[in-house]
Amino acid sequence: MRDPAEQGGGHPGIPENAMEHTVLPDKPSHIAIAGGGFSGVCAAVQLVRSTRAPLHITLIEPRNRVGLGLAYSTTDPDHRLNGPTWVHSIDPRDSGHFTRWCEQQGLFAADPQALLPDGSAFVRRADFGRYMESAFREHARWPSTQSTITHLQARVVDALKKGDSIEVVTDAGHALVCDMLIIATGNPPPRLQTPLDASLTAHPGVLENPLETQRLLEIPGEANVLIIGSSLMALDVLATLLRQGHTGKIVSISRRGLQPRPQAPSAGPLSPPPTVPVAPATATGRQMLDRILGPAPGFLTQPGVEPTLRAWIRALRQRIGEVQAQGVSWQSAFDELRDVVWRTWPLLPAAQKRRFLKKARTWYDVHRFRSPPQTQRLVQAAQAQGRIEFRAERIQSVAALEASGSLQVRFAPREGEGKANRCEAFEFIINCTGLDVLSRVSSSPFLSALMGKGWLTADECGIGFAVDENCQALSAKRTKQPAVRVIGPPTAGTFGDPLGAIFIAAQIYRILPDILSSLGASRSS
């Protein structure tokens, strides 16, 4: 990745006048980033590429590899990104960066199934993890500003105030004094949720974390398998089982039986067919970034449209009808909302946000998180052959049968079935339920400690942490903390949807001027 500062046009990632009045420090500022998944690495890379003054960044991540997080640690070749390469660049100003890296690595020749006729590509998640590792290594020492990024293989357990600085403590006994702490802890590992008892995690037939690929591969082909959930994660599990030639019964259940929707229709074959993917004309360069940073869609902000869930759904349906009448897919209208959710979500009153999470989030998610075309084809073919069954079901209880070693699942009665419970036996249960927000804090001594100190407080929806528009953490007294930032999925309650790579990268890009200005002011004082 070439240094954009060498290409002219000012300092990358910062508006031309953003740093004009910032006093630069006389020695490197130290930033500690808790978490080394996509959010952490993306923040570190964008920071060293955007600063005028030297920065020393310590990326604190317990894994021996950085950039992978939960999503990209899978090794299964059938687990693919659910978006094309041009929405997965670590630099949101250059949508072709990841595509070029794939080409240089020969990925399209090694994985021809990744390419679609229109030139877009849906590559393996493991390959994106390698891309993130490559970006980290390339920016570990950034000559133009003498900035550095260091990976400290440890887990953050606490943070303390040390005058104007922060001391970050790890489980390995490190005590790092820094000028700023960035919390990039991402999503917590999947956990069994009610009504499944936590004790079931010890059962050999229960897979609490479906991202443990090796355990999926060890499932016998003739076993009866129950998948709890029908999200993209569930589709990944299905792809793994199908590739192994699974012959046993596979049932996927969710409360409403909804599946992720497909990608937007292809623009059609290009002539001649491309050998490497090309981004559509509407998303080249930084056009996707400009769209995300753009204003809220007019169909939501026009006079007469109240900031209520009901009014917005009505307006969105009307907009979809308008574009479909012009021969354009529904995805186009939906994406007008999706791309600027960070602007529209704060407009909703708290009660309306909670109503969305309770009543409408499932429908939003299946339209928002679309399946990779390769996975979609595989699962649809298996469903047509009767190899997979999707059901709208609710579990009442799960009991381990000692005699057979299988698991007896008691389902709640369906509508019209009376009060009778139905039971089925499965050899394996795979947990693909949605995010358990409570486990974010309970599974992390670090976040628990910061909540206990009042450094962090829950957002008004209770699905993340409260932050201001620049991701400054809001304390329990609702005061801004410029030296403590929270980025990525933990800010979903404040901004609505910073959950995909391009949206996290755009969020980081948006707050860079404030971060660098804050560091300059604190160091000069």
Side-chain angles (χ1 to χ4, degrees), residues 202-365:
H203 192 284
V206 175
L207 277 68
E208 182 179 38
N209 184 355
L211 299 176
E212 295 178 359
T213 307
Q214 187 56 42
R215 290 197 64 191
L216 287 178
L217 297 175
E218 293 170 354
I219 294 177
E222 68 280 1
N224 291 337
V225 177
L226 175 66
I227 299 174
I228 304 177
S230 57
S231 62
L232 290 174
M233 191 179 294
L235 297 189
D236 282 341
V237 169
L238 288 170
T240 299
L241 296 177
L242 293 172
R243 193 187 73 250
Q244 296 183 94
H246 196 91
T247 58
K249 178 173 67 175
I250 304 177
V251 177
S252 174
I253 66 167
S254 59
R255 291 286 297 269
R256 297 178 176 87
L258 300 173
Q259 300 176 44
R261 299 299 190 255
Q263 300 288 329
S266 168
L270 301 180
S271 181
T275 56
V276 295
V278 292
T282 56
T284 57
R286 54 168 286 161
Q287 290 180 15
M288 187 66 186
L289 173 64
D290 290 338
R291 177 167 170 159
I292 293 172
L293 300 182
F299 67 84
L300 291 185
T301 57
Q302 61 185 332
V305 179
E306 297 294 326
T308 66
L309 183 59
R310 185 183 299 274
W312 280 13
I313 291 175
R314 187 184 305 116
L316 177 59
R317 286 174 172 166
Q318 181 177 343
R319 177 60 178 160
I320 290 174
E322 291 173 356
V323 302
Q324 287 182 327
Q326 302 170 19
V328 180
S329 70
W330 64 264
Q331 288 95 334
S332 176
F334 186 91
D335 293 352
E336 292 177 10
L337 167 64
R338 177 204 64 185
D339 293 346
V340 291
V341 159
W342 72 275
R343 287 197 187 278
T344 57
W345 179 257
L347 301 177
L348 283 175
Q352 290 295 308
K353 294 176 183 176
R354 289 190 286 268
R355 179 176 176 82
F356 167 84
L357 294 172
K358 183 178 181 180
K359 299 290 187 179
R361 182 172 186 171
T362 299
W363 276 274
Y364 177 84
D365 283 353

Side-chain angles (χ1 to χ4, degrees), residues 421-440:
N421 295 106
R422 294 174 298 103
C423 294
E424 288 184 57
F426 295 89
E427 282 77 47
F428 286 86
I429 293 179
I430 304 174
N431 172 46
C432 294
T433 52
L435 176 65
D436 179 8
V437 295
L438 295 178
S439 70
R440 187 190 304 279

